[in-house]
Amino acid sequence: MTQHDDNLPSYRLDPQVGFLLRRANQRHLAIFARGIPELTSTQFAALAKLCELGQATQNALGRATAMDAATIKGVADRLRKRGLIATAPDPDDQRRLTLTPTAEGRALYASQVPAAHAITAETLEPLSEEDRTTFLRLLEKLT
Amino acid sequence: MTQHDDNLPSYRLDPQVGFLLRRANQRHLAIFARGIPELTSTQFAALAKLCELGQATQNALGRATAMDAATIKGVADRLRKRGLIATAPDPDDQRRLTLTPTAEGRALYASQVPAAHAITAETLEPLSEEDRTTFLRLLEKLT
DNA sequence: CAGAGTCTGTTTGTATACGAACAATAATCC
DNA sequence: GGATTATTGTTCGTATACAAACAGACTCTG
């Protein structure tokens, strides 16, 4: 069987979950960049969620898209600079910034939804129909 | 004011592979940072692979750890600054930089291997023994 | 009501990531 | 053997990520 020397640390990088997760993510991001060159994966996520919600506070949008306050600020700034979302102060809470997708933002989002589905399909393409379901079910448990 | 237009293709962010991959990766990185505060996940990967290989060219180490030339440069610079790896010019090829782990680097690596295994275990902890095998098998195909 | 604590958005600093362009060097080909 | 091509490492610019510290605005509690 396999010999194990207890004096030497036995560790291989390649099969570790973390390494595989990082590479799978890299592959997905490359597919995304080819599929929707107009936006980054993160920007599309924020825009999509904002269109889904209709409107949201900046930090709330960050929570909904798994970005911390500092990250969502940068993403929101770039989307606003491109005219895809608009910012308005909340009359009920002076701290809050309410974000809303602009008509242009909604249009871009709608136009890219088919591409987004294609990206998901291409990312999962190496798996059989059945394996995709299994994979997504298990992956969801690791979030 | 939110209304649903049935002409638009439906899309939800939450179940998309890309979003789940990103969040699973975030969770893993948080586990890693708690488990090995001395090094980032990327730095540990580079150090581990270099210890595995004994020595490597900078770009070759990048390829072995899935980092492009610009990324591995930054990682290698930080590891060198901390005295964990050493750099030497290749006599046979003036372009190449040969990287080698220092004694300190090997010692730190060896001391953290158990923690690294624990990180992998904790990341996969939500899955049953059988599901872990399945998940890793499928994840590997998406790399 | 006053003070403690919480939440909002912001800023700074560090660390991946990657595209693109670059100079120096090697390898290849005709 | 000289020109073309490829590779190596570097730099620049942009975009996530996140910790930490901050000020201002709200909330809760005593």
Side-chain angles (χ1 to χ4, degrees):
Chain A
M1 260 310 234
T2 44
Q3 294 268 342
H4 179 66
D5 185 340
D6 287 304
N7 293 332
L8 295 180
S10 98
Y11 183 85
R12 276 183 312 130
L13 176 65
D14 296 342
Q16 307 296 320
V17 223
F19 189 56
L20 293 174
L21 275 175
R22 180 162 147 270
R23 293 205 294 146
N25 205 40
Q26 283 179 342
R27 171 169 168 276
H28 168 74
L29 291 177
I31 292 172
F32 194 101
R34 275 194 298 105
I36 305 185
E38 294 87 353
L39 293 171
T40 66
S41 151
T42 324
Q43 288 166 5
F44 183 77
L47 179 60
K49 185 53 95 175
L50 193 57
C51 287
E52 209 180 290
L53 298 175
Q55 75 174 53
T57 270
Q58 183 172 287
N59 281 4
L61 182 60
R63 271 176 246 118
T65 51
M67 304 179 205
D68 75 351
T71 300
I72 190 64
K73 188 203 184 322
V75 175
D77 283 352
R78 277 165 226 120
L79 289 175
R80 189 161 37 77
K81 182 181 287 185
R82 291 196 35 193
L84 300 175
I85 70 174
T87 288
D90 185 329
D92 297 337
D93 189 334
Q94 306 276 323
R95 298 169 300 179
R96 289 183 172 157
L97 271 184
T98 301
L99 308 186
T100 319
T102 62
E104 194 185 343
R106 286 181 192 280
L108 178 57
Y109 164 64
S111 76
Q112 298 302 325
V113 163
H117 284 303
I119 288 164
T120 292
E122 186 176 347
T123 299
L124 292 173
E125 191 269 334
L127 302 184
S128 70
E129 200 66 38
E130 190 186 346
D131 282 348
R132 287 173 207 180
T133 310
T134 304
F135 178 72
L136 290 175
R137 180 173 58 79
L138 299 181
L139 180 58
E140 206 274 335
K141 292 186 180 179
L142 299 185
T143 55
Chain B
M1 204 53 185
T2 49
Q3 53 186 44
H4 179 66
D5 186 347
D6 286 309
N7 293 334
L8 299 182
S10 74
Y11 183 85
R12 277 183 312 130
L13 177 64
D14 296 342
Q16 306 296 320
V17 224
F19 188 56
L20 293 174
L21 275 175
R22 179 162 147 270
R23 293 204 294 145
N25 205 42
Q26 282 178 342
R27 173 170 166 275
H28 168 74
L29 291 176
I31 292 171
F32 194 100
R34 275 195 297 104
I36 304 185
E38 294 87 352
L39 293 170
T40 65
S41 150
T42 323
Q43 289 166 5
F44 183 78
L47 180 59
K49 184 53 96 176
L50 193 57
C51 287
E52 210 179 290
L53 297 175
Q55 76 174 53
T57 270
Q58 182 171 287
N59 280 3
L61 182 61
R63 270 176 246 120
T65 52
M67 305 177 204
D68 76 351
T71 301
I72 191 63
K73 186 203 186 324
V75 175
D77 283 352
R78 278 166 225 121
L79 290 175
R80 188 161 37 77
K81 181 181 287 185
R82 292 196 33 193
L84 301 175
I85 70 175
T87 287
D90 185 328
D92 297 338
D93 188 334
Q94 307 274 321
R95 297 169 303 179
R96 287 183 174 158
L97 272 184
T98 300
L99 308 186
T100 319
T102 62
E104 194 185 344
R106 286 179 191 281
L108 178 57
Y109 164 64
S111 76
Q112 298 302 325
V113 163
H117 284 303
I119 288 164
T120 292
E122 187 176 345
T123 298
L124 292 172
E125 192 268 334
L127 302 184
S128 70
E129 199 67 36
E130 190 186 345
D131 282 349
R132 287 171 208 182
T133 309
T134 303
F135 178 72
L136 290 175
R137 180 173 58 80
L138 299 182
L139 181 58
E140 208 273 336
K141 291 186 180 180
L142 299 185
T143 306

